[in-house]
Structures are given as C-alpha cells and as structure tokens.
Amino acid sequence: MPSRTVILAGATGLVGREILAGLLADPSVAAVHCLGRRMSAELHPKLTAHVVDFAALPALPLADELYLALGTTIKVAGSQAAFRAVDYDANLAVATAALAVGVRQVGLVSAMGADSNSKVFYSRVKGELEDALAKMPFEGMVFARPSLLVGDREVLGQPTRQGEVLGSALSKVVGFLIPANYKPIDASAVASALLSAVPSAKGRAVLLSGAMRR
C-alpha cells in the first residue's frame, strides 16, 4: 500500500519538474504536496498544489520527506538580495516548516562548488543553505551538487542559459577531457539520484555530478 507523503518546493523548475514526475509515478508514494508561488498546471490524484508566500508560510501538511528545488539566478531575480530570498530564505523557511510537521528526510538541489566560504556569491549562498540545513535535526539529508544542468527550459517558460548551452556543446566535442563532476548533467539524472537516496537517507550525504550521471 502507498505510504509515503512528500512535500516538494520548486516543482516548476528544471529538476523539480523531474522530481515531481518521479514521485507521481512511484507506487509507494501516497500523496505529494507541491508548494509554489503560482498554481501548478499539473493534475494528478496524488497531487495537491499549495500557492504560498514563502516569506509567511502556513502550517504544512504532515509528511515524511521533503524535496527542496527552489532556485533562480541573479539575472532573473534582479539583485543579489532577491536571489538570496529565493535560494536561501525560501528553501530554509520550507525546511523549518517541514521539520515542524514530522518530516524526517530532506533532499536539496544545490550546486557544484557550494561553499559558505566561497568568494563567489552564488556558490556562497548555496553553501550557506547547506550549512543551515546540516544544523537541523533531520534524520537524513541529501545534497545534490550538479554541474551545468541540461534540460528543456523553454517548455517551462524559462530563459535559456547561455552557459548551459555552451557547456553542453563543449562537452559533446571534448567531453572525454572533462572530469565527470564537471560535465553537464541532465536534470532527470539529478532528480533520479535524489529520489533514490532520500527515502532511506541517514545522516548527511553529498552527491556530486559524477556519481549522479547515468
């Protein structure tokens, strides 16, 4: 019988969309609660969409697992402060609220190079979020650190990221020279790695691109 109840934040993103598809297809998952700033177009008997203000979250439904896939770019957000409000504040707010309703395992879509001591703002914020989550009393947590993501952003209504396009093209030409952790990785591979690792996670685990590649 299906027994797992899952909360997913960021289901409209490149990796979040793949996580959602995997959860809905998993016979062991009874219910999926998606948190977002706008109503999801996805319809499924297992799925309940919640339109929320991440700066003032309501009490969340009881759940077993949490997947954090909220993210943006400084270009899209418009400023470093706006970027941090999504990538750090919103993710941490969801994690805090999920912990309060019994969530035991959490999976995070982080980024290659995440380091709270980094001089690069993007990497530093990602690292600060990982550090903050690591201090929370979850039973298990999995941090996925993908390199450049490959996927169809246009279908999501997102702008194409030139760095991802160039990285993907370069990998096709000289991929054999690029270390596994630095090669572009398909968003579906990141989602699959999290979906496999999170349900039984104990302690903290970090998944690098090389380990997540199919």
Side-chain angles (χ1 to χ4, degrees), residues 74-106:
I74 296 176
K75 182 178 180 179
V76 171
S79 68
Q80 289 187 344
F83 170 84
R84 185 180 178 84
V86 175
D87 278 58
Y88 181 88
D89 295 337
N91 278 308
L92 188 59
V94 174
T96 301
L99 192 62
V101 294
V103 166
R104 298 185 298 275
Q105 274 84 22
V106 59

mmCIF file of all heavy atoms in Angstrom, residues 74-106:
data_model
loop_
_atom_site.group_PDB
_atom_site.id
_atom_site.type_symbol
_atom_site.label_atom_id
_atom_site.label_comp_id
_atom_site.label_asym_id
_atom_site.label_seq_id
_atom_site.Cartn_x
_atom_site.Cartn_y
_atom_site.Cartn_z
ATOM 1 N N ILE A 74 20.698 35.351 -10.420
ATOM 2 C CA ILE A 74 20.741 36.780 -10.086
ATOM 3 C C ILE A 74 20.135 37.593 -11.226
ATOM 4 O O ILE A 74 19.435 38.585 -10.995
ATOM 5 C CB ILE A 74 22.190 37.213 -9.791
ATOM 6 C CG1 ILE A 74 22.707 36.481 -8.543
ATOM 7 C CG2 ILE A 74 22.268 38.728 -9.586
ATOM 8 C CD1 ILE A 74 24.159 36.752 -8.218
ATOM 9 N N LYS A 75 20.374 37.160 -12.475
ATOM 10 C CA LYS A 75 19.821 37.871 -13.625
ATOM 11 C C LYS A 75 18.302 37.875 -13.597
ATOM 12 O O LYS A 75 17.662 38.911 -13.811
ATOM 13 C CB LYS A 75 20.327 37.235 -14.918
ATOM 14 C CG LYS A 75 19.845 37.940 -16.175
ATOM 15 C CD LYS A 75 20.419 37.285 -17.427
ATOM 16 C CE LYS A 75 19.930 37.988 -18.682
ATOM 17 N NZ LYS A 75 20.495 37.368 -19.919
ATOM 18 N N VAL A 76 17.706 36.725 -13.337
ATOM 19 C CA VAL A 76 16.247 36.621 -13.294
ATOM 20 C C VAL A 76 15.687 37.316 -12.056
ATOM 21 O O VAL A 76 14.680 38.034 -12.117
ATOM 22 C CB VAL A 76 15.799 35.149 -13.324
ATOM 23 C CG1 VAL A 76 14.302 35.031 -13.064
ATOM 24 C CG2 VAL A 76 16.149 34.519 -14.667
ATOM 25 N N ALA A 77 16.341 37.120 -10.913
ATOM 26 C CA ALA A 77 15.858 37.707 -9.665
ATOM 27 C C ALA A 77 15.979 39.228 -9.679
ATOM 28 O O ALA A 77 15.146 39.925 -9.086
ATOM 29 C CB ALA A 77 16.642 37.127 -8.485
ATOM 30 N N GLY A 78 17.034 39.730 -10.307
ATOM 31 C CA GLY A 78 17.195 41.166 -10.406
ATOM 32 C C GLY A 78 18.220 41.774 -9.477
ATOM 33 O O GLY A 78 18.674 42.892 -9.678
ATOM 34 N N SER A 79 18.587 41.048 -8.430
ATOM 35 C CA SER A 79 19.588 41.549 -7.485
ATOM 36 C C SER A 79 20.084 40.391 -6.629
ATOM 37 O O SER A 79 19.445 39.331 -6.563
ATOM 38 C CB SER A 79 18.999 42.627 -6.573
ATOM 39 O OG SER A 79 18.030 42.075 -5.689
ATOM 40 N N GLN A 80 21.197 40.601 -5.954
ATOM 41 C CA GLN A 80 21.705 39.576 -5.053
ATOM 42 C C GLN A 80 20.728 39.327 -3.911
ATOM 43 O O GLN A 80 20.527 38.179 -3.488
ATOM 44 C CB GLN A 80 23.079 39.983 -4.511
ATOM 45 C CG GLN A 80 24.183 39.922 -5.542
ATOM 46 C CD GLN A 80 25.562 40.160 -4.936
ATOM 47 O OE1 GLN A 80 25.697 40.658 -3.810
ATOM 48 N NE2 GLN A 80 26.597 39.796 -5.670
ATOM 49 N N ALA A 81 20.114 40.385 -3.409
ATOM 50 C CA ALA A 81 19.159 40.239 -2.298
ATOM 51 C C ALA A 81 17.950 39.407 -2.720
ATOM 52 O O ALA A 81 17.468 38.557 -1.963
ATOM 53 C CB ALA A 81 18.720 41.614 -1.798
ATOM 54 N N ALA A 82 17.460 39.662 -3.927
ATOM 55 C CA ALA A 82 16.300 38.908 -4.419
ATOM 56 C C ALA A 82 16.664 37.454 -4.675
ATOM 57 O O ALA A 82 15.861 36.535 -4.442
ATOM 58 C CB ALA A 82 15.760 39.556 -5.689
ATOM 59 N N PHE A 83 17.885 37.236 -5.178
ATOM 60 C CA PHE A 83 18.367 35.867 -5.371
ATOM 61 C C PHE A 83 18.425 35.134 -4.041
ATOM 62 O O PHE A 83 17.947 34.003 -3.909
ATOM 63 C CB PHE A 83 19.756 35.904 -6.012
ATOM 64 C CG PHE A 83 20.459 34.569 -6.036
ATOM 65 C CD1 PHE A 83 20.218 33.660 -7.050
ATOM 66 C CD2 PHE A 83 21.355 34.218 -5.036
ATOM 67 C CE1 PHE A 83 20.856 32.425 -7.071
ATOM 68 C CE2 PHE A 83 22.003 33.000 -5.050
ATOM 69 C CZ PHE A 83 21.755 32.097 -6.068
ATOM 70 N N ARG A 84 18.982 35.760 -3.031
ATOM 71 C CA ARG A 84 19.118 35.134 -1.718
ATOM 72 C C ARG A 84 17.750 34.837 -1.091
ATOM 73 O O ARG A 84 17.578 33.828 -0.414
ATOM 74 C CB ARG A 84 19.934 36.037 -0.785
ATOM 75 C CG ARG A 84 20.234 35.406 0.564
ATOM 76 C CD ARG A 84 21.052 36.320 1.469
ATOM 77 N NE ARG A 84 21.279 35.704 2.759
ATOM 78 C CZ ARG A 84 22.263 34.849 3.016
ATOM 79 N NH1 ARG A 84 23.131 34.549 2.078
ATOM 80 N NH2 ARG A 84 22.381 34.310 4.220
ATOM 81 N N ALA A 85 16.776 35.697 -1.364
ATOM 82 C CA ALA A 85 15.434 35.494 -0.813
ATOM 83 C C ALA A 85 14.821 34.187 -1.298
ATOM 84 O O ALA A 85 14.044 33.547 -0.584
ATOM 85 C CB ALA A 85 14.532 36.668 -1.186
ATOM 86 N N VAL A 86 15.178 33.788 -2.520
ATOM 87 C CA VAL A 86 14.664 32.530 -3.067
ATOM 88 C C VAL A 86 15.554 31.356 -2.674
ATOM 89 O O VAL A 86 15.110 30.393 -2.049
ATOM 90 C CB VAL A 86 14.552 32.608 -4.604
ATOM 91 C CG1 VAL A 86 14.135 31.241 -5.179
ATOM 92 C CG2 VAL A 86 13.555 33.682 -5.009
ATOM 93 N N ASP A 87 16.823 31.446 -3.052
ATOM 94 C CA ASP A 87 17.719 30.299 -2.917
ATOM 95 C C ASP A 87 18.078 29.973 -1.473
ATOM 96 O O ASP A 87 18.361 28.808 -1.163
ATOM 97 C CB ASP A 87 18.987 30.542 -3.729
ATOM 98 C CG ASP A 87 18.803 30.204 -5.195
ATOM 99 O OD1 ASP A 87 17.908 30.802 -5.830
ATOM 100 O OD2 ASP A 87 19.520 29.337 -5.702
ATOM 101 N N TYR A 88 18.054 30.948 -0.602
ATOM 102 C CA TYR A 88 18.374 30.687 0.801
ATOM 103 C C TYR A 88 17.123 30.797 1.680
ATOM 104 O O TYR A 88 16.696 29.816 2.298
ATOM 105 C CB TYR A 88 19.446 31.653 1.303
ATOM 106 C CG TYR A 88 19.836 31.401 2.755
ATOM 107 C CD1 TYR A 88 20.840 30.486 3.071
ATOM 108 C CD2 TYR A 88 19.198 32.058 3.797
ATOM 109 C CE1 TYR A 88 21.191 30.238 4.389
ATOM 110 C CE2 TYR A 88 19.535 31.814 5.120
ATOM 111 C CZ TYR A 88 20.538 30.912 5.418
ATOM 112 O OH TYR A 88 20.867 30.656 6.727
ATOM 113 N N ASP A 89 16.527 31.973 1.721
ATOM 114 C CA ASP A 89 15.431 32.219 2.670
ATOM 115 C C ASP A 89 14.233 31.300 2.439
ATOM 116 O O ASP A 89 13.702 30.713 3.383
ATOM 117 C CB ASP A 89 14.970 33.681 2.592
ATOM 118 C CG ASP A 89 16.044 34.663 3.035
ATOM 119 O OD1 ASP A 89 16.952 34.259 3.788
ATOM 120 O OD2 ASP A 89 15.974 35.838 2.626
ATOM 121 N N ALA A 90 13.779 31.186 1.194
ATOM 122 C CA ALA A 90 12.592 30.380 0.916
ATOM 123 C C ALA A 90 12.833 28.904 1.193
ATOM 124 O O ALA A 90 12.004 28.224 1.817
ATOM 125 C CB ALA A 90 12.130 30.588 -0.522
ATOM 126 N N ASN A 91 13.973 28.386 0.739
ATOM 127 C CA ASN A 91 14.286 26.975 0.998
ATOM 128 C C ASN A 91 14.383 26.689 2.493
ATOM 129 O O ASN A 91 13.869 25.669 2.982
ATOM 130 C CB ASN A 91 15.601 26.600 0.307
ATOM 131 C CG ASN A 91 15.434 26.278 -1.160
ATOM 132 O OD1 ASN A 91 14.597 25.461 -1.536
ATOM 133 N ND2 ASN A 91 16.223 26.925 -2.007
ATOM 134 N N LEU A 92 15.036 27.581 3.220
ATOM 135 C CA LEU A 92 15.193 27.367 4.658
ATOM 136 C C LEU A 92 13.856 27.471 5.381
ATOM 137 O O LEU A 92 13.589 26.713 6.320
ATOM 138 C CB LEU A 92 16.190 28.381 5.223
ATOM 139 C CG LEU A 92 16.608 28.164 6.681
ATOM 140 C CD1 LEU A 92 17.244 26.780 6.868
ATOM 141 C CD2 LEU A 92 17.590 29.253 7.127
ATOM 142 N N ALA A 93 12.997 28.374 4.940
ATOM 143 C CA ALA A 93 11.672 28.509 5.556
ATOM 144 C C ALA A 93 10.856 27.235 5.375
ATOM 145 O O ALA A 93 10.178 26.773 6.305
ATOM 146 C CB ALA A 93 10.940 29.701 4.949
ATOM 147 N N VAL A 94 10.922 26.656 4.177
ATOM 148 C CA VAL A 94 10.191 25.413 3.924
ATOM 149 C C VAL A 94 10.752 24.285 4.788
ATOM 150 O O VAL A 94 10.003 23.489 5.367
ATOM 151 C CB VAL A 94 10.246 25.037 2.435
ATOM 152 C CG1 VAL A 94 9.603 23.665 2.210
ATOM 153 C CG2 VAL A 94 9.541 26.087 1.597
ATOM 154 N N ALA A 95 12.063 24.193 4.871
ATOM 155 C CA ALA A 95 12.687 23.145 5.680
ATOM 156 C C ALA A 95 12.277 23.269 7.141
ATOM 157 O O ALA A 95 11.965 22.268 7.802
ATOM 158 C CB ALA A 95 14.210 23.227 5.562
ATOM 159 N N THR A 96 12.246 24.480 7.657
ATOM 160 C CA THR A 96 11.850 24.710 9.056
ATOM 161 C C THR A 96 10.406 24.301 9.274
ATOM 162 O O THR A 96 10.072 23.631 10.269
ATOM 163 C CB THR A 96 12.042 26.190 9.413
ATOM 164 O OG1 THR A 96 13.421 26.552 9.225
ATOM 165 C CG2 THR A 96 11.655 26.455 10.860
ATOM 166 N N ALA A 97 9.530 24.681 8.343
ATOM 167 C CA ALA A 97 8.113 24.338 8.460
ATOM 168 C C ALA A 97 7.892 22.834 8.316
ATOM 169 O O ALA A 97 7.032 22.249 8.988
ATOM 170 C CB ALA A 97 7.306 25.095 7.412
ATOM 171 N N ALA A 98 8.668 22.193 7.442
ATOM 172 C CA ALA A 98 8.530 20.752 7.229
ATOM 173 C C ALA A 98 8.995 19.969 8.455
ATOM 174 O O ALA A 98 8.391 18.957 8.835
ATOM 175 C CB ALA A 98 9.321 20.325 6.002
ATOM 176 N N LEU A 99 10.053 20.430 9.059
ATOM 177 C CA LEU A 99 10.553 19.764 10.263
ATOM 178 C C LEU A 99 9.495 19.780 11.358
ATOM 179 O O LEU A 99 9.339 18.811 12.108
ATOM 180 C CB LEU A 99 11.833 20.468 10.732
ATOM 181 C CG LEU A 99 12.671 19.777 11.805
ATOM 182 C CD1 LEU A 99 13.189 18.429 11.314
ATOM 183 C CD2 LEU A 99 13.841 20.668 12.207
ATOM 184 N N ALA A 100 8.743 20.857 11.416
ATOM 185 C CA ALA A 100 7.713 21.013 12.453
ATOM 186 C C ALA A 100 6.545 20.053 12.272
ATOM 187 O O ALA A 100 5.800 19.803 13.229
ATOM 188 C CB ALA A 100 7.207 22.454 12.458
ATOM 189 N N VAL A 101 6.371 19.503 11.055
ATOM 190 C CA VAL A 101 5.250 18.582 10.825
ATOM 191 C C VAL A 101 5.723 17.151 10.639
ATOM 192 O O VAL A 101 5.022 16.316 10.063
ATOM 193 C CB VAL A 101 4.388 19.034 9.622
ATOM 194 C CG1 VAL A 101 3.708 20.356 9.954
ATOM 195 C CG2 VAL A 101 5.210 19.147 8.342
ATOM 196 N N GLY A 102 6.925 16.857 11.118
ATOM 197 C CA GLY A 102 7.361 15.467 11.183
ATOM 198 C C GLY A 102 8.206 14.954 10.045
ATOM 199 O O GLY A 102 8.503 13.749 9.997
ATOM 200 N N VAL A 103 8.612 15.798 9.112
ATOM 201 C CA VAL A 103 9.462 15.332 8.016
ATOM 202 C C VAL A 103 10.797 14.840 8.569
ATOM 203 O O VAL A 103 11.419 15.503 9.399
ATOM 204 C CB VAL A 103 9.695 16.464 6.991
ATOM 205 C CG1 VAL A 103 10.833 16.107 6.039
ATOM 206 C CG2 VAL A 103 8.413 16.722 6.216
ATOM 207 N N ARG A 104 11.223 13.688 8.111
ATOM 208 C CA ARG A 104 12.455 13.079 8.624
ATOM 209 C C ARG A 104 13.612 13.133 7.629
ATOM 210 O O ARG A 104 14.772 13.171 8.015
ATOM 211 C CB ARG A 104 12.193 11.615 9.017
ATOM 212 C CG ARG A 104 11.165 11.455 10.126
ATOM 213 C CD ARG A 104 11.045 9.997 10.555
ATOM 214 N NE ARG A 104 10.587 9.135 9.472
ATOM 215 C CZ ARG A 104 9.307 8.935 9.150
ATOM 216 N NH1 ARG A 104 8.353 9.563 9.839
ATOM 217 N NH2 ARG A 104 8.970 8.128 8.170
ATOM 218 N N GLN A 105 13.286 13.100 6.332
ATOM 219 C CA GLN A 105 14.327 13.113 5.309
ATOM 220 C C GLN A 105 14.151 14.331 4.391
ATOM 221 O O GLN A 105 13.008 14.703 4.073
ATOM 222 C CB GLN A 105 14.284 11.843 4.448
ATOM 223 C CG GLN A 105 15.046 10.670 5.008
ATOM 224 C CD GLN A 105 14.244 9.873 6.025
ATOM 225 O OE1 GLN A 105 13.030 9.921 6.030
ATOM 226 N NE2 GLN A 105 14.930 9.147 6.892
ATOM 227 N N VAL A 106 15.255 14.910 3.962
ATOM 228 C CA VAL A 106 15.202 16.059 3.066
ATOM 229 C C VAL A 106 16.232 15.912 1.950
ATOM 230 O O VAL A 106 17.350 15.450 2.184
ATOM 231 C CB VAL A 106 15.430 17.385 3.839
ATOM 232 C CG1 VAL A 106 16.770 17.384 4.550
ATOM 233 C CG2 VAL A 106 15.336 18.595 2.902
#
